[in-house]
Amino acid sequence: GQNIDQPTEMTATEGAIVQINCTYQTSGFNGLFWYQQHAGEAPTFLSYNVLDGLEEKGRFSSFLSRSKGYSYLLLKELQMKDSASYLCAVNSGYSTLTFGKGTMLLVSP
Amino acid sequence: DGGITQSPKYLFRKEGQNVTLSCEQNLNHDAMYWYRQDPGQGLRLIYYSQIVNDFQKGDIAEGYSVSREKKESFPLTVTSAQKNPTAFYLCASGLSVGHGYTFGSGTRLTVV
């Protein structure tokens, strides 16, 4: 079966750095995605990793270790608008994505 | 502009009634998907279709039905057999390497 784990909630302060972890056990692996979702809205794409290493995109970076079944999303210079749910999703080689339950991030002033 | 449209945004249904959620895309994507989202549950796959006139069950297909008569359209019917239909329903299309899905804006269904 497929299993993707993320912390349920995290809190951080404006201007700080936060790391959201994701571990996965899937029957195959063809890429890992991170999405941001504000309450009542659709998820929006943040990052994609298929090879080991760090992908940087502005304030957001994502890391992947396939041997460990582990990824993290790093958010720098946190802003209030970064308060949202962050979803980790894996393409296990089929034509669908399997999602984790999401991590709710609360950024405080 | 190309995109994926879900309607309505909010839907109320009486117990025992069937209801159909609309999903239309003009992105020329072959694949389309329906997910359900409950608080604390993440997104769970209901049905998906990789080509016209073909679709497959996802992890939680019981109580739902779909059709794929046109490439642009993938409606989802929530039947009276679905015991707990109140949820946020998301339609998606494509699954491009590097960008994942394109999502619709969602339909919030409430059983009253």
Side-chain angles (χ1 to χ4, degrees):
Chain A
Q2 324 278 42
N3 191 46
I4 301 174
D5 288 317
Q6 310 176 229
T8 303
E9 293 181 355
M10 298 184 71
T11 58
T13 306
E14 197 173 13
I17 299 173
V18 70
Q19 177 175 313
I20 302 174
N21 296 325
C22 172
T23 59
Y24 63 90
Q25 298 94 38
T26 57
S27 55
F29 183 80
N30 198 31
L32 185 144
F33 297 81
W34 284 96
Y35 289 86
Q36 180 191 62
Q37 186 180 27
H38 286 99
E41 298 181 8
T44 55
F45 169 79
L46 289 178
S47 70
Y48 170 73
N49 295 74
V50 67
L51 300 175
D52 291 352
L54 187 68
E55 294 283 341
E56 297 188 81
K57 190 183 294 185
R59 294 190 299 116
F60 293 8
S61 303
S62 57
F63 172 83
L64 176 67
S65 169
R66 288 173 297 170
S67 63
K68 295 182 179 179
Y70 168 69
S71 174
Y72 68 72
L73 179 69
L74 192 71
L75 291 75
K76 304 175 185 176
E77 302 170 11
L78 280 172
Q79 302 175 9
M80 298 297 290
K81 68 178 182 179
D82 297 329
S83 291
S85 184
Y86 291 85
L87 309 176
C88 174
V90 173
N91 180 352
S92 56
Y94 305 106
S95 59
T96 64
L97 294 183
T98 300
F99 287 81
K101 294 185 178 182
T103 299
M104 180 67 67
L105 174 66
L106 177 62
V107 180
S108 58
Chain B
D1 287 339
I4 182 166
T5 301
Q6 287 187 243
S7 61
K9 190 171 180 65
Y10 299 96
L11 190 57
F12 296 88
R13 189 195 91 174
K14 292 183 179 180
E15 282 194 36
Q17 287 182 338
N18 292 355
V19 64
T20 297
L21 282 60
S22 170
C23 179
E24 303 276 335
Q25 55 100 359
N26 60 4
L27 300 165
N28 202 33
H29 287 162
D30 287 316
M32 297 186 73
Y33 310 83
W34 276 105
Y35 282 85
R36 167 182 173 141
Q37 188 173 33
D38 297 280
Q41 291 292 322
L43 275 66
R44 292 184 290 168
L45 183 64
I46 304 173
Y47 269 98
Y48 65 103
S49 167
Q50 294 180 268
I51 198 167
V52 173
N53 292 322
D54 189 41
F55 48 83
Q56 287 78 40
K57 293 181 178 180
D59 301 318
I60 56 165
E62 186 175 351
Y64 299 97
S65 66
V66 293
S67 63
R68 187 80 187 279
E69 297 176 1
K70 299 186 300 182
K71 188 174 187 177
E72 301 79 16
S73 178
F74 191 40
L76 174 74
T77 297
V78 185
T79 75
S80 57
Q82 169 51 234
K83 298 305 179 188
N84 188 21
T86 294
F88 186 50
Y89 290 86
L90 282 161
C91 180
S93 70
L95 179 51
S96 64
V97 172
H99 288 87
Y101 293 145
T102 301
F103 281 98
S105 57
T107 293
R108 186 166 298 280
L109 173 65
T110 303
V111 173
V112 297

